[in-house]
Amino acid sequence: MIQVKVKVSRFNPEKEDTKPHFDEFTVEANPMDKVLDLLHRIKWEQDGTLSFRRSCAHGICGSCAMKINGANMLACEALIGNFRDPTHIMVEPLRSLPIIKDLVVDMDDFFKKYEVVKPYLINKTPPPTKERYQSVEDRELIDESTRCIQCGACTTSCPSSWKNPQFLGPATLLKSFRYTFDSRDEGAAERLQIVDNNDGVWRCHTIFNCVEACPKDINLTWHISELKKRLVSREY
Amino acid sequence: MIAKHDVVIVGAGLAGLRAALEASRYYDVAVVSKVFPTRSHSGAAQGGIAAAMGNVEEDHIDWHFFDTVKGSDYLADQDAAEVLVNDAIPAVYELEHLGVPFSRTPEGKINQRKFGGHTRNYGEAPILRACFAADRTGHVMLHTLYDQCVKNHVRFYPEFFVTDLLLKDNIIRGLIAYDMIGGEFITFHSKTVVFATGGYGRTYKITSNAHANTGDGLGIVLRAGLPLEDMEFVQFHPTGLYRYGILLTEGARGEGAYLINNEGKRFMEKYAPKLMELAPRDMTSRSIQTEINEGFGINGEDYVYLDLRHLGEKKINERLPEITGFCRKIAGADPVKEPIPIQPTAHYSMGGIPVTIDSEVLADGKSQKLEGFYAAGECACVSVHGANRLGTNSQLETIVFGRRAGKTIIEYLNKNGTEKADLPEDQIKASIERVETIRNNTGKEKVGVIRHELQETMMAKLGIFREEKDMKEMLDKVHELEERVEHIQIDDKGMNFNTDLTEALELHNLLHFAEIIVNGALNRQESRGSQFRTDYPKRDDKNWLKHTLAFKKEGKVIFDYKPVVITKFQPKERKY
């Protein structure tokens, strides 16, 4: 067991906080513990007011994305033993979103943007009585994009998103790819039009922060580039 | 504040979203959930959804029907199970048409894999029946349905914690919820309410379930004086990641993975020579626990191995990428290179809110319907799973019965209009007062401590093997905790995103129905499906081929029973 000093960003407008500050807690841990375990231990044993989101605890629900030692990741997957100094952990909310309380950020805008890009299959041809066929290769093309858990780690690590709040952001653009490149979809023209502007794909300057941040190892920049290629080739 | 809708659905997992999608074709639908919709635990379902479409090998609906009934240890209502298997194929095609990215066969059809208890020709050998999308089937279904609900302009209320139902004179009026971000109580005034609130794995220490799976809907229903059915049947999934309980899909064994004991033997040959690792979950979990109890755990400890290595890196990466990912990340074990330590993990609730095959909630558990109240998915008991559910039948149930709930509501509203019954002001006041008491209470107890004691003792006393002495001790423990929970003092006294408060409310719900689980298990003096009693090791069809109904009246648990619907398959001894 080791003693870990956990610095956690705190903010509660209900208590008339005007800006976030750090609280430091000392927690007993073993190197296989995750940051989520530490946060739970603080909440359940030391300070019940500490607020954060979490649910599945194994990287599929996307609730617990936060900034840990400066990088976006899921608290439920962040093994203490993997940090250079496991005895000092700093936890902050995802950057650039309004803070509701402590580590809980307002994701309204994040999800509203996603609704803009028609995030659903568009196919006006009546379906067959059985399934629509799709080749293994066509299915493979969208595989990576279906892994997204909407945790927000990518978009909130993106400097273009920090600078321009109107930018749709990598998570939304990935969703656009997921349906546009689905061989069963017929909505490419209307969907691509939505992202063909300075708040869409062209705001992506291939900084690759999103790729580094994604807990599901999705190469977002590649997907956005494919959308760009499709737009310049006008083959839709 | 009051929000008015024709339909209010509680829970945004697969059952809730499927019901929402259906009802929103014609009516104004709201979905209320304590987490953002795509955070729902349906998204953690991995292996697949069963449908006897025979894309890869010959299959028949009747085989699926038989397997479901036999898997249930003959406690499933066969009229309901027949609906499940009949609707399965069109339901999966419909999902495909909505955009679910299923894995494909070389010809481009939906691919299918093997799963526990699903067999060819009434039990001969495992069959390829589970339609899948790698090992994230639930995830892609959840996201696709959410996307479709966005398209249909379903109104979502994310991070609203429902505290109580508004129900008077057998007519639903709506519900009360705590808006966690808004920091206030909201009254939902509606003509119809659907509960799709999921399971309660968090009653146990080792569970595959999310922190959110605290069975709140069941606690709410009990408080409203309604019964729960067959709550003693708790499924333990055979392969939870050792110490964590995280689900490692049965799809791994469907693809050919072995279960291995400390002698390196595939011990399932002793317990289920025909189906081996693909025996139903109740049997496989019991077999693993028996090996552990008899000293065949690895290094004498409480786990055995799930061995995928012989499947090869390519197949593991292609078919099982998610479990491979979190084994590496969370447990530091690579399934390509080493066997994975596993133990059985609390996974699924066969019991729940008694409903008709059209998803209508039954006030007496038998025949008396409530006006405008529906339930679907894991929180409901139709009963298609009886005493033991087969893998991939739960995702199927959410889709089939979520859709039926939607259709029943449309018919109900078409006939009765959307004018709502009056709100019972006294109930609104009482619910808010209940929550406010918990928020402002003073005392020595802590949520974390009581919850931990509940989870530890449930694991020890009401697990895979049960006996009277343990269960009586468990019952005493529940009573003790129910008393102590009244003396909880929470730290957070605010209204802004107060998860200290919601965890306390969840704990109240957990304890409320834990008493029903324990009493039901104690009351049922037989072994059937997931309930194995060492003091009554045989199934007893003469006395116990019946469903348990349990009410809570003035603090006491009262039992009633109803017969099992048997149409085609007469109960037989269950061997695999």
Side-chain angles (χ1 to χ4, degrees):
Chain A
M1 295 295 265
I2 49 170
Q3 298 265 323
V4 182
K5 289 201 183 316
V6 189
K7 265 173 84 175
V8 188
S9 173
R10 306 297 303 267
F11 175 68
N12 186 3
E14 202 180 15
K15 282 168 65 183
E16 287 163 19
D17 288 352
T18 50
K19 60 179 194 302
H21 64 279
F22 283 99
D23 278 350
E24 190 173 284
F25 301 90
T26 305
V27 191
E28 287 263 299
N30 84 52
M32 287 299 283
D33 279 338
K34 274 82 63 188
V35 170
L36 180 62
D37 299 319
L38 303 190
L39 294 175
H40 273 146
R41 239 163 265 161
I42 295 167
K43 184 173 181 66
W44 295 338
E45 293 162 15
Q46 298 185 36
D47 182 355
T49 66
L50 178 65
S51 304
F52 51 91
R53 292 189 176 103
R54 92 302 190 232
S55 192
C56 79
H58 66 280
I60 195 70
C61 79
S63 302
C64 66
M66 51 188 77
K67 208 159 89 180
I68 301 170
N69 286 0
N72 284 357
M73 57 186 88
L74 299 177
C76 70
E77 288 184 345
L79 241 65
I80 310 296
N82 285 351
F83 291 103
R84 203 172 300 151
D85 176 6
T87 62
H88 288 82
I89 306 282
M90 185 164 77
V91 189
E92 298 164 89
L94 292 175
R95 183 171 169 169
S96 81
L97 298 177
I99 303 170
I100 290 167
K101 188 180 179 184
D102 299 341
L103 304 170
V104 179
V105 291
D106 185 345
M107 295 190 76
D108 253 20
D109 185 59
F110 175 80
F111 284 113
K112 281 208 180 95
K113 278 179 182 156
Y114 149 90
E115 290 175 17
V116 170
V117 295
K118 304 198 175 187
Y120 39 79
L121 195 78
I122 298 170
N123 188 324
K124 305 234 158 68
T125 316
T129 50
K130 293 188 169 185
E131 69 267 58
R132 292 191 178 99
Y133 279 31
Q134 183 171 48
S135 72
V136 171
E137 294 72 28
D138 285 343
R139 168 64 180 72
E140 183 58 28
L141 182 61
I142 56 166
D143 190 71
E144 201 170 311
S145 64
T146 66
R147 289 217 300 258
C148 175
I149 54 174
Q150 299 178 333
C151 64
C154 56
T155 298
T156 59
S157 72
C158 167
S160 303
S161 291
W162 301 337
K163 182 85 172 106
N164 181 358
Q166 302 305 312
F167 176 36
L168 289 172
T172 302
L173 294 173
L174 182 75
K175 196 68 175 181
S176 176
F177 176 100
R178 182 258 170 272
Y179 284 111
T180 304
F181 282 80
D182 189 321
S183 61
R184 302 167 295 176
D185 187 80
E186 296 170 353
E190 50 184 302
R191 208 178 290 106
L192 283 169
Q193 199 188 2
I194 300 165
V195 301
D196 185 14
N197 54 61
N198 283 342
D199 294 328
V201 289
W202 307 112
R203 181 67 60 189
C204 167
H205 298 159
T206 60
I207 298 164
F208 287 92
N209 271 21
C210 52
V211 180
E212 198 183 358
C214 177
K216 306 309 283 185
D217 303 324
I218 301 169
N219 187 341
L220 288 113
T221 311
W222 179 85
H223 287 84
I224 297 168
S225 301
E226 288 301 303
L227 286 169
K228 289 177 178 171
K229 261 161 69 183
R230 188 84 173 261
L231 276 164
V232 292
S233 65
R234 303 287 167 193
E235 279 170 1
Y236 53 89
Chain B
M1 200 190 106
I2 296 181
K4 292 176 188 288
H5 295 281
D6 299 335
V7 185
V8 173
I9 296 169
V10 185
L14 288 174
L17 293 183
R18 188 61 193 85
L21 186 59
E22 197 66 31
S24 64
R25 297 189 208 277
Y26 302 99
Y27 288 100
D28 157 44
V29 176
V31 176
V32 183
S33 169
K34 67 179 181 177
V35 296
F36 186 81
T38 55
R39 315 285 186 224
S40 305
H41 200 56
S42 295
Q46 296 168 353
I49 174 167
M53 59 202 8
N55 275 2
V56 192
E57 63 174 316
E58 182 188 351
D59 200 357
H60 298 277
I61 291 170
D62 207 52
W63 294 356
H64 186 191
F65 185 18
F66 172 77
D67 290 337
T68 300
V69 172
K70 184 179 173 188
S72 82
D73 219 347
Y74 295 91
L75 194 71
D77 286 320
Q78 296 185 14
D79 55 344
E82 196 167 2
V83 167
L84 181 81
V85 297
N86 276 332
D87 283 6
I89 299 170
V92 170
Y93 286 145
E94 193 176 49
L95 288 170
E96 197 283 327
H97 297 156
L98 292 172
V100 173
F102 285 108
S103 294
R104 301 289 170 153
T105 66
E107 314 94 288
K109 294 182 190 175
I110 295 171
N111 208 347
Q112 297 185 284
R113 64 158 54 119
K114 292 173 185 169
F115 242 80
H118 289 282
T119 68
R120 162 161 50 83
N121 201 19
Y122 310 99
E124 268 179 20
I127 195 168
L128 298 150
R129 185 180 287 149
C131 306
F132 65 93
D135 59 349
R136 64 177 93 89
T137 316
H139 173 75
V140 296
M141 283 166 59
L142 182 70
H143 282 246
T144 306
L145 285 183
Y146 176 68
D147 295 346
Q148 288 291 322
C149 285
V150 166
K151 184 182 175 194
N152 270 19
H153 304 292
V154 170
R155 173 76 189 269
F156 284 98
Y157 291 88
E159 296 175 323
F160 281 63
F161 189 101
V162 174
T163 60
D164 279 292
L165 202 57
L166 300 173
L167 170 73
K168 197 178 166 189
D169 304 327
N170 272 347
I171 302 167
I172 212 79
R173 320 286 171 121
L175 38 92
I176 303 288
Y178 159 46
D179 171 2
M180 295 171 70
I181 291 179
E184 58 177 347
F185 292 97
I186 306 285
T187 302
F188 286 89
H189 191 193
S190 67
K191 182 82 173 178
T192 59
V193 168
V194 183
F195 265 23
T197 56
Y200 55 70
R202 286 282 156 180
T203 322
Y204 287 85
K205 183 184 167 197
I206 299 292
T207 178
S208 64
N209 284 199
H211 286 281
N213 294 138
T214 51
D216 303 304
L218 306 180
I220 292 169
V221 157
L222 278 178
R223 269 200 299 281
L226 301 172
L228 295 178
E229 181 175 342
D230 290 341
M231 289 289 284
E232 57 270 35
F233 297 107
V234 180
Q235 177 166 84
F236 280 76
H237 192 288
T239 55
L241 191 57
Y242 180 51
R243 288 211 176 100
Y244 301 95
I246 300 169
L247 177 68
L248 291 168
T249 177
E250 197 168 300
R253 282 170 284 137
E255 299 294 347
Y258 301 146
L259 289 169
I260 303 283
N261 65 13
N262 66 344
E263 295 181 328
K265 279 195 185 134
R266 287 178 69 189
F267 55 84
M268 284 308 293
E269 65 190 13
K270 268 193 277 181
Y271 306 94
K274 237 194 281 180
L275 298 190
M276 294 293 286
E277 280 87 354
L278 290 173
R281 289 177 178 171
D282 55 341
M283 269 184 190
T284 311
S285 287
R286 268 199 298 280
S287 307
I288 294 169
Q289 198 59 50
T290 304
E291 291 292 306
I292 291 169
N293 293 351
E294 291 178 358
F296 296 104
I298 309 299
N299 301 324
E301 291 192 56
D302 297 346
Y303 66 93
V304 296
Y305 280 140
L306 178 72
D307 194 349
L308 287 81
R309 289 173 298 179
H310 57 284
L311 302 181
E313 187 165 5
K314 185 174 176 285
K315 192 168 189 180
I316 291 174
N317 286 340
E318 182 192 308
R319 297 286 178 96
L320 304 159
E322 292 292 331
I323 63 165
T324 307
F326 68 69
C327 278
R328 285 174 185 153
K329 277 187 182 167
I330 294 177
D334 186 348
V336 174
K337 295 183 187 140
E338 57 203 309
I340 304 300
I342 58 99
Q343 71 184 127
T345 180
H347 184 58
Y348 187 86
S349 161
M350 268 70 72
I353 306 165
V355 291
T356 67
I357 54 171
D358 294 314
S359 307
E360 301 147 302
V361 174
L362 295 164
D364 61 351
K366 293 172 179 171
S367 58
Q368 190 196 344
K369 291 175 195 169
L370 284 158
E371 286 266 311
F373 190 25
Y374 309 85
E378 189 173 346
C379 75
C381 182
V382 191
S383 149
V384 289
H385 309 306
N388 174 61
R389 170 175 75 75
L390 295 187
T392 67
N393 268 355
S394 64
Q395 294 197 65
L396 180 59
E397 182 196 10
T398 62
I399 297 302
V400 166
F401 289 94
R403 176 169 169 270
R404 285 177 86 86
K407 285 197 181 301
T408 311
I409 286 169
I410 291 166
E411 275 172 39
Y412 175 77
L413 293 177
N414 285 348
K415 200 168 138 204
N416 296 287
T418 56
E419 201 182 321
K420 299 159 194 66
D422 293 344
L423 284 170
E425 296 296 337
D426 53 328
Q427 288 184 20
I428 298 172
K429 211 169 140 240
S431 182
I432 293 173
E433 266 173 23
R434 185 177 72 80
V435 179
E436 289 296 62
T437 304
I438 292 168
R439 183 162 69 105
N440 298 308
N441 203 26
T442 52
K444 289 199 305 281
E445 298 289 354
K446 290 277 166 209
V447 172
V449 174
I450 294 185
R451 186 179 47 211
H452 182 73
E453 284 185 34
L454 173 72
Q455 292 169 338
E456 286 248 297
T457 27
M458 284 293 278
M459 204 71 208
K461 309 276 183 197
L462 209 83
I464 293 172
F465 292 105
R466 300 170 173 184
E467 63 170 12
E468 186 172 303
K469 185 174 155 286
D470 283 348
M471 288 192 283
K472 284 198 164 149
E473 284 169 19
M474 187 65 226
L475 197 56
D476 290 343
K477 187 72 187 176
V478 172
H479 290 148
E480 176 206 316
L481 296 177
E482 278 181 315
E483 209 282 313
R484 283 168 55 194
V485 79
E486 300 300 330
H487 304 290
I488 283 177
Q489 179 174 334
I490 61 174
D491 294 342
D492 196 338
K493 302 291 184 192
M495 281 296 276
N496 178 29
F497 213 88
N498 189 341
T499 49
D500 210 13
L501 174 63
T502 54
E503 285 191 30
L505 294 170
E506 288 170 344
L507 179 60
H508 276 264
N509 287 332
L510 282 173
L511 281 167
H512 224 49
F513 59 76
E515 195 185 353
I516 304 280
I517 302 175
V518 185
N519 266 299
L522 198 50
N523 188 51
R524 183 177 281 274
Q525 296 181 333
E526 67 156 352
S527 291
R528 182 186 297 274
S530 68
Q531 151 127 326
F532 192 92
R533 289 193 53 162
T534 48
D535 46 358
Y536 297 94
K538 289 259 179 320
R539 194 175 80 195
D540 177 1
D541 285 340
K542 189 160 157 272
N543 294 304
W544 288 104
L545 186 57
K546 60 186 179 188
H547 297 290
T548 307
L549 297 167
F551 300 76
K552 237 179 179 179
K553 294 259 159 76
E554 287 152 14
K556 284 218 168 73
V557 177
I558 294 167
F559 287 111
D560 195 1
Y561 303 94
K562 70 173 172 184
V564 177
V565 179
I566 293 170
T567 56
K568 187 164 182 184
F569 302 110
Q570 288 304 314
K572 283 196 297 204
E573 195 194 354
R574 196 163 154 253
K575 276 193 180 155
Y576 288 95

